[in-house]
Amino acid sequence: MWVFSNEIDTAATPLIALAPGALARLHSHRDAFMGYMYVNPHALICGRILSRDVAQPVDARLLERRLRGALALRDRLIPAPYYRWVFGESDQLPGLVLDRYGDVVVGQIATAGMDALKEEVTAAVRRVLDPVTLFWKNDSGARELEGLPKVAEAAFGEVPALLRAREGTLTFSVPPLTSQKTGWFYDQTGNRARLGRYVSPGARVLDVCSYAGGWAVTALSQGAGSARCVDSSQAALECAEVNAEANGVKIDVTRADAFDALRALAESGERYDIVILDPPAFIKRKKDIPQGQAAYRKLNQLALGVLAEEGLLVSCSCSYHLGAGELEAAIQAAARHTGRFVQILEAGGQSLDHPVHPAIPETRYLKAFFCRVTREVG
Ligand code: SAH
């Protein structure tokens, strides 16, 4: 679905003749039609294909079809209207993310081409779902690469003071304007449900990089006895406390850098039966790989330092540039360094509402390893 700028015969079709976001037809060197795409002559990925059917150009009908198809898939698989409705390339809508919070849809546009289609997408959202509110939260870092400004604005309806997300029987609220990403991390929904079988009654849980308390509150609802959330954001922790209360459980919070907090907890002798590591992407670009790998190794090592004699480590990474094998290697290096023995019991990925496009490895980004950790003996 992607066309790189060095794949274009710029003598025949100079890219600079095209405006960022313009629609174009893609032809092979033998002049065979390959697809309808939008372009950005200033980006490395200079074209993204939306349709391969010569009879179906990029128009209102195409957008509506794509949105309907994506919605039908989620509605079939997910019992309540809280999910990622559109996951970009994986739903053949490159550069577009739509997350659904019941009657409220929060959207993010990452490319000039999708930005140029914003009004058409808005109209299609109205025709397909007609939610009360569509809020464009266009503040992602990817926009800079495409020469787009960061703006947050309602396309229609009012932006509520709180967005509500549901996972099973639990409800979580986050303020839409100051939240991370669109508000909620639906990509972890499946993994949080997976945690249930590992939570023994009364377990002590540490939720590192907790954001609004998704993992901690889930673990408590699954039978854990206590949970502490660690995050560097005061706003995130306040949200986590509200979310705990709303679900009838109680959490403790520590506002600190994750690395510092883990060191301090280890020193004070605190031990946990379950430690969840769900940090932000330490590796955003290829050039960050060496430092990023070291950071994952260090964080996992520090986590093992606060795990009980026998415990569960849930180690996640949302960095596409850190492969599953590399996260396993980071976990193993951490184990060797601390004299612990690790068994990976289960590996989770992103939830069903984040499908993977088999031609675009970047669409598979989330890893979650459920690891039993014991002492290395013998
Ligand atoms: N676990 C969350 C998602 C985590 S997003 C969930 O399931 O919903 C990453 C979180 O890490 C953000 O809330 C961010 O504030 C926090 N964070 C980023 N850098 C951090 C650091 N150095 N120490 C602690 N928290 C950090």
Side-chain angles (χ1 to χ4, degrees):
M1 283 177 94
W2 288 351
V3 184
F4 289 88
S5 50
N6 63 358
E7 295 173 312
I8 297 286
D9 177 358
T10 47
T13 45
L15 274 172
I16 45 163
L18 298 166
L23 294 171
R25 292 165 67 115
L26 181 67
H27 288 258
S28 75
H29 64 292
R30 292 199 185 90
D31 213 28
F33 173 80
M34 294 178 76
Y36 293 105
M37 62 177 179
Y38 63 62
V39 299
N40 186 346
H42 308 306
L44 181 63
I45 302 170
C46 70
R48 297 185 197 228
I49 296 173
L50 287 114
S51 165
R52 292 183 194 282
D53 177 358
V54 71
Q56 178 55 77
V58 180
D59 59 12
R61 182 160 160 269
L62 177 82
L63 295 173
E64 188 173 327
R65 265 202 200 163
R66 296 270 190 266
L67 289 180
R68 272 194 208 288
L71 189 65
L73 173 69
R74 276 63 176 186
D75 279 342
R76 199 160 70 237
L77 297 175
I78 304 168
Y82 301 86
Y83 45 65
R84 175 150 295 188
W85 171 10
V86 171
F87 181 43
E89 277 62 1
S90 296
D91 286 299
Q92 292 176 276
L93 287 167
L96 179 68
V97 159
L98 294 177
D99 279 353
R100 186 166 178 201
Y101 299 86
D103 285 341
V104 179
V105 173
V106 182
Q108 291 195 311
I109 289 176
T111 58
M114 195 46 78
D115 211 58
L117 292 168
K118 192 169 78 175
E119 295 314 317
E120 281 90 335
V121 173
T122 300
V125 165
R126 268 203 201 270
R127 284 197 303 279
V128 172
L129 183 69
D130 201 19
V132 171
T133 300
L134 171 61
F135 173 43
W136 289 119
K137 193 163 179 283
N138 286 326
D139 57 5
S140 74
R143 288 176 67 87
E144 276 162 45
L145 295 174
E146 291 267 334
L148 295 170
K150 295 191 179 184
V151 273
E153 58 187 359
F156 57 81
E158 278 194 20
V159 182
L162 287 176
L163 281 177
R164 221 172 294 280
R166 289 223 178 111
E167 286 191 16
T169 58
L170 304 173
T171 305
F172 298 93
S173 302
V174 287
L177 297 172
T178 52
S179 62
Q180 306 261 341
K181 304 285 169 83
T182 74
W184 192 244
F185 289 89
Y186 285 123
D187 54 357
Q188 288 282 22
T189 300
N191 293 325
R192 283 193 273 263
R194 252 181 205 111
L195 181 66
R197 73 191 310 170
Y198 303 107
V199 179
S200 40
R204 299 158 295 174
V205 175
L206 184 66
D207 180 357
V208 180
C209 297
S210 66
Y211 183 46
W215 283 97
V217 171
T218 302
L220 289 164
S221 79
Q222 291 163 336
S226 62
R228 176 171 295 280
C229 287
V230 175
D231 203 285
S232 54
S233 155
Q234 182 63 27
L237 292 172
E238 281 166 17
C239 253
E241 283 180 310
V242 170
N243 285 326
E245 202 182 326
N247 290 289
V249 295
K250 212 194 142 299
I251 54 163
D252 296 307
V253 301
T254 301
R255 182 192 176 181
D257 169 72
F259 296 83
D260 296 343
L262 285 167
R263 277 192 202 95
L265 289 167
E267 241 162 65
S268 65
E270 291 287 335
R271 293 299 176 264
Y272 298 89
D273 303 299
I274 299 176
V275 177
I276 297 134
L277 298 178
D278 188 11
F282 289 147
I283 310 176
K284 295 214 169 62
R285 285 151 302 192
K286 251 189 184 156
K287 67 175 177 53
D288 304 333
I289 289 178
Q291 296 100 305
Q293 279 182 340
Y296 283 104
R297 195 163 57 239
K298 187 78 201 165
L299 190 67
N300 279 272
Q301 190 177 309
L302 291 168
L304 295 185
V306 298
L307 259 184
E309 196 66 14
E310 164 155 1
L312 183 84
L313 172 70
V314 181
S315 183
C316 309
S317 164
C318 58
S319 298
Y320 158 68
H321 291 294
L322 186 83
E326 284 141 0
L327 181 56
E328 278 175 345
I331 295 168
Q332 174 56 13
R336 293 289 295 128
H337 204 87
T338 50
R340 308 295 296 265
F341 178 64
V342 168
Q343 295 164 298
I344 296 175
L345 305 177
E346 198 173 343
Q350 59 226 36
S351 308
L352 298 172
D353 52 357
H354 292 62
V356 171
H357 190 308
I360 306 181
E362 286 83 350
T363 58
R364 186 196 297 286
Y365 64 95
L366 187 64
K367 279 94 30 197
F369 287 114
F370 292 74
C371 313
R372 175 177 181 244
V373 181
T374 50
R375 217 148 260 301
E376 181 87 76
V377 281

